[in-house]
């Protein structure tokens, strides 16, 4: 009774809302923001310490490759975990042991990867199936039918994971190249993942407003003279969908979108504000697909 | 071709057709396994054993589900037959959809097999029209409908493939199972067409079958594999639609439920559930399992129930000498605890056994001796000198050598031919030991499993674990159990002994035969005592009478003490004598743990850490360890530190992590960078202008570790308090 449990300790540590932080900002650094190229150049110039030990670790893991193959053939799936990028290791495995098999590499860190693109790669390129599928489950059914002699019912319904600890201490260079950092100047279009992250923190109505705009833009994506949705029009549509009840609320929402650089406004020739989503169409499409999936 | 690109995330690789040469399973086994010389044999042994285990478990699982399947089949037959009757009650019933709710337990991964065998059985004996659907493929009503129709029409096609008359009808129906006509009406038409055809086509067959009318209108069975995961709305709509067609289409549902039957009430409102005529089917109770394991001679079913919810799952342990491959106590403990505390899945348990089997044959060159007796003896004669060296280094063999005389020791360590001979003898001993071990284990289990408070465990596997760890008779619990057994009444004891004798029945070894005979004798003695016997007169003259005499105080005390003594050392009745004799006997036949046997390493897989690492890994621990003590992985002397602290020469990511830990919940990026720079400059003495750190922050892969204020946080911007 006298001894506080782990739970209580946790709340004691995290319970008080008063948090002391310093008010220093990044602006006070000598080199507050770098652009990507400079950063890459700087990082490239710095040799990694412990290269020898890291190489040793790599070699140690390599020894298990034939065991992985054995386990894979017996219907297990190998899952590697641990600190450090496993990309080099897996690439090594792929080149040395899989060169004789048909195989597919999926880069999970690639920001606009979707289930559909993976399945398409499987059906179109591996199984050489022409034509399209309506739903992913149809596609999966087709794949399992074609590969029936390879996977039996027992195995296909579950991953048979075997866990392998592979601590590599290698840099996550490629994996993080898609991540945004506050320290790097932002360029280019917003990535899909950051878009979803921002949207996820908004209210359902705000999300609805954004989706409305996205849908309208996608409908007109083949129209070269489309300059965006006028504010009045947009307001009307939002009202009809019961997403806002006044001019003001919509304006607040839009300001917020603008802050996150999700939308852009442009004055037309007639002096009316036109709204545009500043993200390319393919990302928007993927975004909508995701949203519907959830 | 590289796998990194800024425009693509998926890369397909196909080997060139010319030099296609895939390595077989065996090649992979041989590559990189220890002692490659006899790897071929080992691989074959491993495969054979695995095939055997797989086959046995399948048979066992089928047997276990047989009962529930049978009752389910009865139910479907009954339902399809009531439909034909015309009395009032069955008319009432006929407007409802018969539904079987199958409570299967939380081990969802295992259910697939159950449902597969169920639908096979249904197709064989009740109706060719069986469709099973899963929640994840039916998000909307339309999809559910489409799946059901597809499956039903497909099923029929496969079932009646040989029927040539049906060829045309089949083609018209399968060519466009189309989404356009995806309605129950279409199914009805198709069904009536099917049944008419089959009744016209095979009138003779119909009459010969027992349930003639039932056969004419076989029910259409739809299996919902995972009821919990279905969206209630879809399910409700589907049931409502189906109930409209029940006159024309003899539908029947089977719900697979993982938790409890009350889910049905949660998911379906009264208006819908009143359309169903639900009958509940529980999977096997534990008593049934017990009965089962008694009947089954050589494979004991170890049953475990999650008592709270009354759900039941089971694992199979191979407690038999027929399987040369064994798990030691620790590995068994790991597998059982993963089963009991994590997933309740039989399949994962079997997977663990498979992994252990593979690892054993892959990493232990002496596993070539882990097979049936004859084969093992044969393989022992073909051992190479390297293998013989390996035998000499086995701890159990060293122990054996130490016990021999010096001359014998000499020849064991020098003379290869002699070692081979001894090795054969030892293998025979090991085999004999196993033959005795399991029956005696079962015998002991029969006795102790009925003792109150179960000091040695309720199940055979618990006793097995205890027996494997150390000499069971040195165990405190064992002594307690024996004490409790000594208080048993006669008929209880006799029943237990009968059980013991039964468990010894099938064993074919000399010692066990002797033991059996002895046990039978003892039993017979007990039976003889059953005859009414005159209570034996106590020959001891009571010293009470002596008390009458006048004595001095000292004398009195002495007599009283004597009396007390004599009362305590009361003479044992013949029954009690016999009881002691029996227990002594049981005591004597109990076997020492396998690890005391010489060459036990050949058969026992003992690396529990490997099994745990591969089956139940702890990635967070690994990351934590790598970040906080990199020396563990990177063997560099400069990384060695005293407890807890991180050396400043550590990899950047470790330092960044350590600094992050030292901060509270919110971290100021500027301060963090400054702190990092301080650490690194102190280490290198070089300049750090805040560039090196950029690397670290950017590389930080675990967003969960990064406090929220560093991420691009929209809430904060709006000034919403968090």
């Amino acid at each position: 009774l006298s001894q506080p449990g782990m739970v209580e300790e946790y709340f004691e540590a995290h319970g008080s809302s008063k948090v002391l932080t310093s008010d220093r900002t990044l602006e006070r650094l000598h080199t507050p923001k770098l652009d990507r190229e400079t950063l890459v150049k700087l990082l490239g110039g710095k040799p990694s310490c412990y290269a020898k030990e890291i190489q040793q670790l790599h070699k140690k893991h390599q020894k298990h490759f034939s065991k992985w193959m054995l386990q894979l053939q017996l219907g297990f799936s190998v899952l590697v975990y641990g600190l450090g990028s496993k990309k080099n290791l897996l690439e090594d495995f792929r080149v040395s042991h899989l060169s004789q098999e048909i195989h597919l590499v999926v880069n999970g860190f690639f920001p606009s990867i979707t289930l559909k693109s993976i399945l398409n790669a499987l059906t179109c390129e591996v199984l050489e199936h022409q034509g399209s599928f309506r739903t992913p489950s149809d596609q999966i059914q087709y794949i399992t039918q074609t590969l029936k002699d390879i996977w039996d019912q027992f195995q296909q319904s579950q991953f048979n994971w075997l866990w392998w600890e592979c601590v590599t201490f290698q840099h996550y260079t490629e994996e993080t190249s898609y991540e945004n950092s506050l320290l790097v100047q932002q360029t280019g279009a917003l990535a899909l993942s950051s878009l979803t992250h921002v949207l996820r923190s908004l209210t359902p109505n705000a999300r609805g407003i954004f989706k409305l705009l996205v849908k309208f833009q996608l409908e007109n994506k083949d129209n070269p003279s489309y300059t965006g949705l006028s504010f009045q029009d947009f307001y009307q549509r939002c009202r009809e969908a019961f997403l806002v009840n006044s001019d003001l609320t919509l304006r607040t929402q839009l300001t917020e979108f603008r802050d996150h650089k999700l939308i852009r406004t442009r004055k037309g020739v007639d002096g009316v504000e036109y709204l545009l989503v500043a993200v390319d169409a393919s990302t928007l499409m993927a975004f909508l697909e995701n949203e519907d999936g959830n | 071709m590289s796998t990194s690109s800024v425009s693509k995330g998926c890369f397909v690789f196909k080997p060139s057709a010319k030099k296609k040469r895939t390595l077989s399973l065996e090649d992979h086994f041989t590559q990189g396994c220890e002692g490659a010389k006899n790897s071929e044999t080992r691989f074959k042994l491993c495969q054979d054993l695995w095939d055997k285990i797989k086959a046995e478990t399948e048979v066992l699982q089928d047997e276990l589900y047989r009962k529930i399947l049978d009752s389910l089949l009865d139910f479907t037959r009954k339902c399809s037959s009531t439909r034909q009757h015309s009395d009032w009650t069955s008319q009432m019933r006929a407007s409802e959809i018969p539904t079987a709710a199958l409570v299967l337990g939380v081990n969802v991964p295992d259910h697939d097999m159950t449902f597969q065998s169920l639908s096979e059985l249904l197709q064989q004996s009740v109706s060719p029209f069986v469709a099973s659907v899963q929640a994840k493929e039916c998000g909307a009503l339309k999809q559910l409908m489409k799946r059901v129709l597809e499956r039903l029409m497909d099923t029929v096609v496969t079932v009646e493939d040989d029927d040539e008359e049906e060829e045309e009808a089949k083609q018209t129906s399968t060519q466009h199972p189309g989404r356009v006509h995806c309605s129950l009406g279409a199914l009805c038409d198709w069904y009536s067409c099917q049944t008419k055809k089959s009744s016209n086509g095979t009138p003779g067959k119909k009459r010969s079958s027992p349930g003639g009318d039932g056969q004419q209108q076989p029910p259409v069975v739809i299996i919902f594999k995972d009821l919990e995961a279905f969206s209630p709305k879809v399910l409700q709509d589907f049931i409502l639609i189906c109930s409209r067609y029940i006159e024309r289409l003899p539908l029947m549902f089977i719900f697979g439920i993982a938790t409890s039957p009350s889910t049905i009430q949660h998911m379906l409102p009264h208006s819908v559930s009143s359309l169903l005529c639900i009958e509940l089917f529980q999977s096997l109770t534990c008593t049934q399992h017990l009965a089962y394991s008694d009947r089954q001679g050589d494979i004991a079913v170890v049953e475990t129930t999650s008592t709270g919810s009354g759900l039941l799952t089971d694992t199979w342990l191979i407690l038999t000498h027929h399987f040369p491959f064994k798990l030691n106590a620790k590995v068994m403990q790991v597998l059982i605890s993963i089963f009991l505390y994590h997933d309740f899945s039989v399949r994962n348990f079997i997977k663990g056994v498979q992994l252990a089997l593979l690892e054993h044959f892959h990493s232990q060159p002496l596993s070539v001796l882990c097979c049936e007796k004859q084969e093992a003896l044969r393989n022992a004669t073909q051992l190479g000198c390297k293998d013989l060296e390996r035998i000499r280094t086995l701890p159990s063999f060293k122990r054996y050598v130490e016990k021999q005389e010096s001359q014998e020791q000499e020849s064991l360590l020098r003379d290869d031919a002699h070692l081979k001979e001894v090795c054969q003898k030892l293998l025979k001993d090991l085999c004999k030991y196993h033959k005795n071990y399991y029956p005696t284990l079962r015998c002991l289990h029969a006795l102790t499993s009925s003792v109150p408070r179960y000091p040695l465990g309720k199940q055979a596997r618990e006793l097995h674990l205890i027996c494997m760890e150390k000499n069971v008779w040195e165990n405190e619990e064992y002594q307690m159990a024996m004490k409790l057994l000594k208080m048993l009444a006669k008929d209880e004891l006799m029943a237990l002994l009968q059980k013991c004798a039964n468990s010894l029945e099938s064993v074919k070894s000399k010692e066990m035969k002797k033991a059996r005979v002895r046990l039978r004798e003892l039993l017979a003695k007990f039976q003889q005592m059953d005859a009414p016997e005159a209570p034996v007169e106590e020959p001891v003259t009571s010293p009470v009478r002596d008390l009458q005499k006048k004595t001095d105080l000292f004398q009195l005390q002495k007599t009283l003490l004597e009396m007390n003594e004599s009362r305590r050392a009361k003479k044992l009745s013949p029954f009690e004598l016999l009881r002691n004799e029996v227990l002594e006997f049981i005591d004597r036949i109990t076997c020492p743990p396998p690890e005391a046997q010489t060459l036990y390493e050949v058969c026992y897989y003992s690396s529990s850490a490997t099994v745990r690492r591969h089956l139940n890994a702890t990635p967070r621990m690994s990351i934590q360890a790598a970040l906080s003590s990199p020396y563990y992985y990177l063997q560099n002397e400069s990384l060695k530190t005293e407890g807890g602290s991180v050396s400043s020469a550590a990899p950047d990511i470790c330092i960044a992590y350590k600094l992050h830990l030292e901060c509270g919940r919110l971290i100021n990026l500027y301060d963090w960078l400054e702190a990092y720079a301080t650490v690194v400059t102190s280490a290198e003495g070089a300049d750090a202008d805040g560039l090196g750190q950029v690397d670290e922050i950017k590389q930080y892969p675990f967003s969960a570790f990064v406090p929220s204020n560093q991420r691009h946080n929209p809430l904060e911007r709006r000034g919403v308090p968090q």
Side-chain angles (χ1 to χ4, degrees):
Chain A
L1 235 167
S2 59
Q3 204 172 15
M6 282 253 280
V7 183
E8 280 139 54
E9 274 173 20
Y10 176 87
F11 283 112
E12 213 158 274
H14 296 267
S16 64
S17 58
K18 209 173 77 181
V19 183
L20 293 173
T21 48
S22 66
D23 55 353
R24 278 171 284 202
T25 60
L26 286 176
E27 307 305 322
R28 290 172 58 174
L29 285 178
H30 301 304
T31 47
K33 292 221 169 175
L34 305 160
D35 58 31
R36 253 195 102 79
E37 279 72 40
T38 339
L39 180 79
V40 171
K41 217 166 70 203
L42 283 168
L43 289 180
K46 191 172 174 268
S48 174
C49 45
Y50 306 113
K52 206 180 91 208
E53 281 82 7
I54 289 173
Q55 196 55 34
Q56 264 171 11
L57 274 178
H58 188 79
K59 284 219 182 84
K60 204 176 94 194
H61 298 315
Q62 269 178 332
K63 276 190 201 132
H64 297 303
F65 281 175
S66 61
K67 210 170 187 180
W68 289 5
M69 274 313 277
L70 177 68
Q71 289 173 343
L72 286 172
Q73 296 220 339
L74 284 172
F76 292 112
S77 310
V78 171
L79 191 152
V80 290
Y81 67 91
L83 182 70
S85 167
K86 267 81 63 182
K87 188 156 196 307
N88 275 341
L89 190 71
L90 292 179
E91 188 67 14
D92 215 1
F93 175 63
R94 186 182 76 75
V95 171
S96 63
H97 281 76
L98 293 178
S99 55
Q100 301 303 320
E101 332 262 339
I102 298 175
H103 57 282
L104 177 76
V105 175
V106 178
N107 284 342
F109 52 82
F110 190 69
S112 49
I113 196 142
T114 53
L115 176 67
K116 200 158 182 185
S117 63
I118 300 172
L119 290 175
N120 276 342
L122 264 176
T123 48
C124 299
E125 295 183 47
V126 178
L127 305 175
E128 283 159 1
H129 173 269
Q130 316 304 310
S132 60
F133 297 91
R134 272 162 207 270
T135 61
S137 67
D138 277 351
Q139 211 162 0
I140 291 169
Q141 210 171 19
Y142 172 75
I143 294 169
T144 48
Q145 263 167 16
T146 326
L147 301 178
K148 204 170 254 168
D149 46 337
I150 303 177
W151 294 327
D152 62 358
Q153 171 82 25
F154 187 71
Q155 284 163 7
Q156 105 198 13
S157 59
Q158 203 190 27
F159 304 109
N160 227 349
W161 289 127
L162 281 188
W163 297 67
W164 282 87
E165 185 180 31
C166 289
V167 175
T168 59
F169 275 102
Q170 281 173 10
H171 289 288
Y172 290 96
T173 319
E174 199 178 326
E175 286 91 329
T176 50
S177 61
Y178 297 99
E179 285 294 317
N180 289 319
S181 166
L182 285 181
L183 294 170
V184 183
Q185 258 165 10
Q186 306 284 332
T187 50
L190 277 170
L192 174 63
S193 58
S194 59
L195 184 63
T196 358
H197 271 117
V198 172
L199 259 288
R200 207 166 281 164
S201 62
L202 298 180
T203 60
N205 271 358
R207 247 177 293 171
I209 292 170
F210 188 70
K211 249 160 75 180
L212 206 73
L213 191 59
V214 167
K215 270 184 194 150
F216 191 77
Q217 183 160 338
L218 284 180
E219 274 165 25
N220 289 295
K221 74 169 188 277
D222 297 328
N223 180 4
S225 62
Y226 172 72
T227 51
L229 191 58
S230 72
F231 180 79
Q232 272 312 318
D233 239 12
F234 189 39
Y235 175 57
Q236 205 54 41
R237 278 161 196 271
C238 287
R239 267 192 82 108
E240 276 163 17
F242 291 106
L243 291 170
V244 291
N245 54 4
S246 76
D247 201 324
L248 202 65
T249 37
L250 183 60
R251 280 208 188 275
T252 354
Q253 282 301 343
L254 289 182
T255 323
E256 194 171 316
F257 289 151
R258 210 171 291 137
D259 283 350
H260 288 119
K261 301 197 177 81
L262 289 179
I263 58 164
R264 251 195 350 239
T265 49
R266 189 187 288 165
K267 280 259 162 68
V269 277
D270 43 1
V272 181
E273 261 187 315
Y274 286 100
L275 304 166
L276 267 177
V277 181
V279 182
D280 61 13
S282 62
T283 316
L284 285 183
M285 219 111 85
F287 164 73
L288 276 188
E289 236 167 66
N290 263 3
E291 283 288 295
D292 295 339
N294 293 339
Chain B
M1 192 170 162
S2 159
T3 56
S4 36
S5 142
V6 284
S7 60
K8 227 173 118 186
C10 251
F11 306 88
V12 177
F13 295 91
K14 285 183 172 180
S16 57
K18 270 182 252 167
K19 46 172 187 179
K20 197 166 181 180
R21 191 189 72 89
T22 44
L23 291 168
S24 70
L25 216 53
E26 194 177 326
D27 296 329
H28 291 304
F29 186 87
T30 318
Q31 269 178 27
C33 85
E34 243 171 273
K37 223 179 100 201
N38 52 18
S39 66
E40 216 170 289
T41 344
R42 270 152 56 197
F43 178 69
K44 228 176 102 7
L45 283 176
C46 177
Q47 283 244 302
D48 286 350
L49 273 178
W50 170 238
D51 288 343
K52 223 160 136 192
I53 292 177
K54 216 162 73 177
E56 294 241 0
T57 45
E58 263 163 38
V59 169
L60 213 60
Q61 203 146 26
D62 270 1
E63 280 274 298
L64 283 171
Y65 285 114
R66 175 81 45 199
K67 209 161 204 170
I68 192 164
L69 290 184
D70 280 348
S71 56
L72 206 69
L73 291 182
D74 278 345
F75 173 68
T76 57
R77 279 197 210 100
K78 200 179 72 197
C79 285
S80 63
S81 69
T82 47
R83 198 178 292 281
Q84 322 298 319
H85 294 307
S86 53
D87 60 316
W88 186 75
T89 44
S90 44
Q91 284 291 328
M92 285 295 290
R93 274 287 136 86
S95 62
E96 294 171 344
I97 307 173
T99 305
L102 216 59
V103 181
L104 285 170
V106 288
N107 51 342
V108 184
D110 300 335
H111 294 172
D112 262 351
M113 242 160 84
T114 321
F115 279 116
Q116 188 149 21
S117 56
L118 173 66
S119 65
E120 269 164 26
L121 277 176
L122 283 172
Q123 273 180 26
Q124 277 165 19
S125 58
V126 180
S127 152
F129 312 113
V130 179
S132 53
V133 285
Q134 250 176 327
K136 72 165 178 250
E137 49 189 21
C138 328
L141 182 64
K142 195 173 159 194
Q143 282 163 334
L144 172 60
M145 209 74 125
K146 182 170 164 257
R147 294 269 171 247
V148 167
L149 256 67
E150 262 177 16
R151 302 262 156 86
L152 278 176
M153 296 179 174
D154 263 342
T155 332
V156 175
V157 171
T158 52
V159 166
E160 295 178 349
D161 228 5
D162 48 347
D163 230 340
E164 279 176 18
E165 298 169 7
E166 305 270 319
E167 208 63 54
E168 287 169 22
K170 186 181 79 188
Q171 264 167 13
T172 50
S173 67
T174 49
Q175 255 168 11
H176 310 287
R179 22 179 80 248
V180 194
H181 313 292
C182 178
S183 72
L184 270 187
L187 184 67
C188 273
D189 295 342
W190 173 85
Y191 177 77
S192 61
C193 166
Q194 286 288 321
T195 44
K196 215 182 285 163
K197 275 245 162 86
S198 65
S199 62
N200 287 343
T202 55
K205 214 198 255 170
K206 185 194 81 192
R207 231 162 268 149
S208 63
S209 63
D213 288 332
Q215 205 58 23
Q216 200 176 5
Q217 285 233 313
V220 176
V221 185
I222 300 172
I223 302 174
F224 297 88
K225 282 185 181 174
D226 39 357
L227 189 74
E228 278 89 349
F230 271 93
S231 122
K233 197 169 170 325
V234 171
L235 201 65
Q236 286 162 23
D237 289 348
F238 186 71
I239 292 171
L240 282 171
I241 294 171
C242 285
S243 72
R244 300 277 162 171
Y245 287 88
I246 191 70
E247 300 280 312
R248 290 162 64 196
L249 200 65
L251 281 162
M252 208 196 124
F253 294 154
I254 294 175
F255 291 158
I257 300 173
T259 51
S260 85
S262 62
T263 355
I264 300 177
Q265 271 106 48
H266 289 311
M267 288 189 73
L268 305 176
H270 180 69
S271 59
V272 176
S273 62
S274 62
L275 296 171
L276 302 173
C277 167
I278 302 174
E279 191 158 327
L280 196 67
F281 293 88
Q282 294 273 3
S283 59
L284 292 171
T285 64
C286 76
T287 45
Q288 276 167 315
H289 273 266
L290 270 176
Y292 183 81
S293 68
D294 280 344
R295 203 173 69 236
Q296 193 81 6
D298 52 359
I299 296 179
V301 179
V302 175
E303 54 292 299
T304 42
T305 49
S306 64
T307 40
S309 50
L311 301 176
L312 185 135
T313 43
D314 31 58
T315 49
W316 289 261
L317 277 194
I318 297 130
L319 291 180
T320 158
H321 69 270
H322 295 307
F323 275 85
F325 171 70
K326 322 260 184 237
L327 301 171
N328 89 341
K330 278 208 186 110
V331 178
M332 193 96 92
Q333 193 77 62
V334 166
L335 289 182
I336 287 176
S337 62
I338 289 176
F339 176 81
L340 285 180
Y341 303 124
H342 288 265
D343 55 9
F344 280 120
S345 158
V346 179
R347 207 158 85 180
N348 282 347
F349 187 87
I350 304 278
K351 170 182 154 193
V353 175
Q354 186 188 8
L355 178 73
L357 183 78
L358 192 67
E359 284 287 321
H360 181 65
F361 280 95
H362 195 264
S363 60
Q364 168 67 279
L366 291 174
S367 60
V368 71
L369 300 176
C370 176
C371 45
E372 299 285 339
K373 188 168 149 195
Q374 292 309 319
E375 209 180 342
L377 293 180
R378 207 176 328 126
N379 286 341
T381 57
Q382 283 158 8
L383 285 177
C385 50
K386 241 188 188 165
D387 291 323
L388 290 174
E389 263 328 297
R390 281 195 188 102
I391 289 182
R392 282 179 186 129
T393 53
L394 288 181
S396 72
F397 188 76
K398 275 186 193 155
R399 242 179 292 147
Y400 171 77
V401 170
E402 273 159 25
K403 273 187 226 144
Q404 305 302 314
E405 286 164 22
S406 59
Q407 202 180 353
E408 176 74 10
Q409 275 182 1
E410 189 83 351
S411 61
L412 273 177
L413 294 177
R414 295 281 152 74
D415 187 1
D416 281 359
H418 181 67
L419 178 61
K420 270 186 197 176
E421 265 170 44
V422 173
C423 201
Q424 290 187 22
K425 189 186 119 290
L426 290 173
L427 282 173
K428 271 185 204 163
D429 286 348
L430 194 65
C431 207
K432 208 197 286 169
Y433 165 79
H434 279 136
K435 266 189 184 164
N436 293 340
Y437 174 77
Y438 292 105
T440 47
L441 180 79
R442 223 158 270 142
C443 204
L444 193 59
H445 172 65
L447 282 178
T448 54
S449 61
S450 56
V451 163
R453 283 195 288 153
Y454 312 104
L456 286 175
K458 237 183 205 178
Q459 267 120 31
R461 68 174 157 81
E462 293 169 76
L463 186 65
H464 181 51
L465 284 179
I466 294 172
C467 284
M468 274 200 294
E469 256 154 24
K470 59 176 184 181
N471 283 339
V472 65
W473 52 85
E474 286 166 6
N475 218 325
E476 222 169 273
E477 279 87 26
Y478 177 83
Q479 278 149 15
M480 174 137 91
M482 280 300 153
K483 227 180 252 168
L484 288 168
L485 279 173
K486 275 181 192 160
M487 293 173 202
L488 277 184
K490 185 170 151 195
D491 35 355
E492 281 174 39
L493 188 65
M494 268 178 69
L496 288 181
L497 286 176
Q498 191 63 48
K499 251 200 220 166
C500 287
N502 286 344
S503 65
L504 294 181
E505 204 60 66
S506 57
V507 197
K508 290 190 200 84
S509 91
K510 243 184 251 164
E511 277 165 57
M512 285 302 110
K513 239 178 224 162
K514 239 191 268 168
R516 199 163 64 225
V517 170
R518 180 87 182 99
L519 203 61
R520 290 265 172 239
E521 277 175 22
L522 287 169
L523 260 178
K525 269 192 196 168
F526 274 112
Q527 253 141 22
Q528 275 167 17
M529 278 199 326
D530 239 1
E533 52 182 321
V536 185
E537 206 64 53
E538 295 244 322
V540 186
T541 49
S542 169
V544 185
R545 249 169 281 153
D546 303 338
L547 277 181
Q548 312 289 338
K549 280 186 257 167
K550 239 186 197 167
T551 50
D552 56 77
L553 213 58
F554 177 72
Q555 204 69 49
L556 177 69
Q557 194 186 11
K558 210 172 144 197
T559 4
L560 280 172
L561 269 176
E562 262 171 21
M563 265 170 67
N564 221 1
E565 203 91 319
S566 72
R567 201 171 293 155
R568 198 172 293 157
K570 213 178 93 194
K571 196 163 178 272
L572 293 170
S573 74
F575 164 67
E576 283 164 331
L577 280 174
L578 205 52
R579 186 166 64 186
N580 287 349
E581 199 179 342
V582 164
L583 292 178
E584 225 168 81
F585 163 74
I586 294 288
D587 226 18
R588 213 171 43 242
I589 64 168
T590 334
C591 283
E595 264 157 53
Q597 302 302 307
T598 318
L599 288 191
Y600 82 96
E601 287 97 337
V602 166
C603 295
Y604 283 81
Y605 180 68
S606 55
S607 171
S608 59
T610 316
V611 173
R612 188 189 284 281
R613 261 210 312 273
H614 288 318
L615 290 181
N616 199 11
T618 49
R620 266 167 190 268
M621 294 264 279
S622 154
I623 289 167
Q624 176 85 20
L627 285 173
S628 54
S629 49
Y631 177 70
Y632 185 68
Y633 293 99
L634 300 171
Q635 304 283 325
N636 191 314
E637 281 307 311
S638 65
L639 292 177
K640 229 173 181 175
T641 50
E642 303 280 305
S645 66
V646 169
S647 93
S648 54
D652 307 344
I653 196 167
C654 302
I655 298 174
Y657 176 70
K658 179 74 185 166
L659 291 174
H660 138 262
L661 278 189
E662 280 168 3
C663 297
R665 210 154 31 119
L666 301 179
I667 300 173
N668 183 302
L669 208 48
Y670 178 86
D671 292 343
W672 196 22
L673 291 176
E674 283 296 319
Y676 179 86
T678 319
V679 172
V680 175
T681 35
S682 79
E684 291 175 1
D687 69 315
D689 53 353
L691 290 182
Q693 308 91 310
V694 176
D695 169 28
E696 266 340 293
I697 312 312
K698 209 172 78 66
Q699 301 240 337
Y700 226 76
F702 309 107
S703 51
F705 291 165
V706 181
S708 52
N709 68 334
Q710 279 163 48
R711 307 220 108 216
H712 190 53
N713 191 345
L715 281 176
E716 212 172 42
R717 286 218 176 170
R718 272 187 293 168
V720 177
Q722 295 190 42

